[in-house]
Amino acid sequence: MPAEPLPAVGGSGTDGPRRVARVVLLDPRDRILLLHGHEPDDPADDWWFTPGGGVEGDETREQAALRELVEETGITEVELGPVLWRRRCSFPFAGRRWDQDEWYYLARTTQTATAATALTELERRSVAGARWWTCPELARAHETVYPTRLAELLRTLLDEGPPAGPVTLDTEIVR
């Protein structure tokens, strides 16, 4: 008997996918900050991802990126740069399917201490911390990282600088 489909967040009806702003946050040593997430009821089902989240109300994606960064990391001293990448993704999480249109903003900071200041109830149950990664560490990682080509994308960013315009990444669908 096939499993029941997961109820979708975004991507259903006329609303379209959930609008998301993510931050590729680099410190002065060109390390990237990633959050460690997991399924709320299964900490062994885990992955790493960039800070960010859904656009709320009439805020811009830039405003959402900065708000989410403060809420998830406590980092306020940020220089927000251009949109690097855009990605459509769909994945199961917390008993629902999430369909998202994600924009990844470059940002720089000298503030490297992190402290989640305003996590939602779901985030409190599913975010296990944060870590600064060097590009070589990310390239050697055996953990799941989203977007899946992040090590390669970061290496290109560090070698060549930001692209002239946002690069559209392959759609990622996690079953």
Side-chain angles (χ1 to χ4, degrees), residues 21-25 60-67 69 76-83 103-109:
R22 298 210 161 279
V23 180
V24 177
L25 184 63
T60 65
R61 287 204 201 224
E62 292 88 352
Q63 291 166 331
L66 293 172
R67 175 185 49 76
L69 189 63
T76 58
E77 300 168 20
V78 174
E79 185 179 314
L80 192 63
V83 177
W103 291 16
Y104 289 78
Y105 288 86
L106 175 61
R108 292 243 176 217
T109 188

Side-chain angles (χ1 to χ4, degrees), residues 29 37-38 50 54-55 64 72 81 86 123 133 141 154 163:
R29 295 172 37 204
H38 59 82
T50 58
V55 174
E72 295 175 345
R86 291 181 180 167
E123 288 168 332
W133 295 73
L154 180 60

Side-chain angles (χ1 to χ4, degrees), residues 35 68-75 113-120 123-124 127-130:
L35 302 179
E68 287 283 343
L69 189 63
V70 171
E71 291 174 359
E72 295 175 345
T73 71
I75 295 177
T114 62
T117 60
L119 297 181
T120 66
E123 288 168 332
R124 284 192 299 278
V127 176

